[in-house]
Amino acid sequence: MARPLAHPRKRRLRALAVPVGLALTASLGFLPGAAGAAAPADSGPLLSYVVNTVPDHATVGAVERAIDRAGGKVITAHERIGVIVAHSANPRFAATLRTTPGVQSAGATRTAPLKQTGTDDVGKPQRITAAQLAAAERTAKAKGGEPLEPLQWDLPAIKADQAAKVNPGSRKVTVAVIDTGVDDTHPDLKPNFSARQSANCVGGVPDTSPGAWRPYDPVEDAHGTHVAGTIAAARNGVGVAGVAPGVKVSAIKVSEPKTSLFYAESVVCAFVFAADHGVQVTNNSYYVDPWMFNCKDDADQAAIVDAVGRAAKYAQDKGVVNVAAAGNANADLAADKLTDTGSPNDSTPVTRTLSPKTCWDVPTQLPGTVTVAATGSHRLKSGYSNYGLNQIDVAAPGGDSKQLPDLPAKNGNILSTIPGGDWAFYAGTSMASPHVAGVAALLKSAHPKAGPQEIQWLLKQQADNPGCPATDRTCTGTPQLNSHFGYGIVNALKAVE
């Protein structure tokens, strides 16, 4: 789920705050139409579709032929889960396919034509002062640890600094960062990066050529590199430390160039690729564009939920723990109604009033996914973080500029890696989710035979719940399970003990 703090999410990424650079080196369903005969192939905008079928060879083959007859082109077919990705300019393409035997759902994954262009509104970085940097270095030298670790209030908040002394994580465990790509040349990430388990899934077909997984733009697409550092930045005497500095991290890029939008076909590819390449944990700090919530009473959006849900379940069935950010709208995901004013975010947004019971944030609210809320340094819910009783599984540090830690930089956001060998502060549930992914990796390291359900149960069982603040009426539930923290803030030390 980076965009600036000004809007809880004009796009899907779960990072809120503008990157705060450190001056350390050089710088730091849309047109389904009525069922009937196929229209001419050039009669509408060229869109991408997911067509979900009975998952068997004969059915998939028959549907592929139907796609051709309806004026579509098959891009790829995930036969084992029955998801076909196709392109078509026929405005009645989806409606036609929905009447085809064996098709269970079909819909457009976007509202804007393919090959769109756009820009991101990443703000200017705020640099720390030389005095703050010097103070951090003095503290690190006195106490040990990485040079910038004194600025990482988030590590002691979940006892990850103590956990690293017991078990930093196993090299047999890999966390895949499904995101904007990762700069694997960063000195804090290079020691733990797994190129063999990395790819560019943009468009729905994995590209594993060297470097294909790297960000398109080192500034606009820094989000994935930041997430990767929180998970597994190495303890190598450089920069920061990750929650699980001994595990491996891989990159599966799913963001469109220029727009950084995450479409369903790319996310489906990412989950399948991760499962087929021996990944143990995925981190998902985004929502699937263009809808903040996909409503199952809309045929196109229902097809997106179906396709991504099948891929996520496929990964879980192969032993993968999927961890996802809860979102940055300060919304109660358990409320009777929600208002979405930012969707679709690839064309003209409209105001929608919807029910969380039928409209899901994908992949965050998919069954089996670990849903993560964000906290600040005072162990309170971050002001932007989504919440909801029985919607949040666990919480973790995501940063909050209003909750200031007593550290040299006194910055309440999360410090991690960015492209080009630098580091920056971000805030968002995007930053909370990788903390949980790191703890899940530590649990998998300590319990290599544990499956996804067991890892999720341990995350909850070992979490420390601060309980509802007496002055915050948005928090409901008990000291053991509530709307702000779920089962509690994760604990890295308990994971390795």
Side-chain angles (χ1 to χ4, degrees), residues 287-469:
Y287 64 77
V288 173
D289 295 296
W291 308 97
M292 182 180 291
F293 295 91
N294 285 274
C295 297
K296 287 174 277 187
D297 57 359
D298 177 282
D300 290 289
Q301 294 168 40
I304 291 172
V305 176
D306 190 2
V308 179
R310 291 180 186 212
K313 185 178 185 302
Y314 175 76
Q316 290 164 13
D317 289 346
K318 295 197 76 170
V320 180
V321 181
N322 295 322
V323 180
N328 300 328
N330 190 27
D332 183 354
L333 299 178
D336 292 333
K337 293 186 181 299
L338 288 173
T339 300
D340 174 14
T341 60
S343 303
N345 62 4
D346 62 350
S347 54
T348 303
V350 296
T351 298
R352 303 189 297 163
T353 300
L354 47 86
S355 169
K357 295 179 181 178
T358 57
C359 300
W360 288 1
D361 184 327
V362 177
T364 294
Q365 292 179 290
L366 291 174
T369 300
V370 181
T371 305
V372 183
T375 61
S377 63
H378 297 173
R379 292 173 66 80
L380 299 172
K381 183 185 82 71
S382 299
Y384 52 79
S385 180
N386 286 353
Y387 59 99
L389 190 61
N390 297 317
Q391 299 298 315
I392 301 302
D393 291 310
V394 290
D400 189 328
S401 61
K402 295 181 180 180
Q403 298 182 45
L404 297 181
D406 186 17
L407 290 172
K410 290 186 171 59
N411 192 307
N413 295 336
I414 305 300
L415 180 65
S416 188
T417 49
I418 60 171
D422 285 329
W423 297 264
F425 289 99
Y426 277 33
T429 55
S430 277
M431 285 58 256
S433 182
H435 285 85
V436 176
V439 175
L442 293 176
L443 282 168
K444 188 67 177 177
S445 299
H447 308 279
K449 294 184 179 180
Q453 289 183 324
E454 294 171 279
I455 297 296
Q456 185 165 169
W457 180 84
L458 287 168
L459 282 170
K460 296 175 180 178
Q461 189 270 332
Q462 296 174 352
D464 301 319
N465 203 320
C468 286

Side-chain angles (χ1 to χ4, degrees), residues 10 29-30 152 167 174 213 217 246 291 417 460 481:
K10 288 161 67 177
F30 155 64
Q152 292 183 272
N167 181 356
T174 300
W213 51 78
D217 185 280
W291 308 97
T417 49
K460 296 175 180 178
L481 175 63

Side-chain angles (χ1 to χ4, degrees), residues 31-104:
L31 288 171
D42 60 352
S43 62
L46 181 65
L47 298 177
S48 183
Y49 294 83
V50 284
V51 181
N52 305 308
T53 77
V54 176
D56 67 68
H57 179 73
T59 302
V60 171
V63 172
E64 286 181 322
R65 293 189 289 274
I67 288 171
D68 183 66
R69 292 193 298 271
K73 177 183 179 182
V74 173
I75 302 303
T76 189
H78 303 281
E79 192 172 290
R80 285 166 292 181
I81 59 173
V83 177
I84 303 171
V85 177
H87 293 173
S88 180
N90 175 5
R92 291 193 283 274
F93 177 78
T96 301
L97 265 294
R98 290 175 197 136
T99 66
T100 301
V103 172
Q104 297 170 319

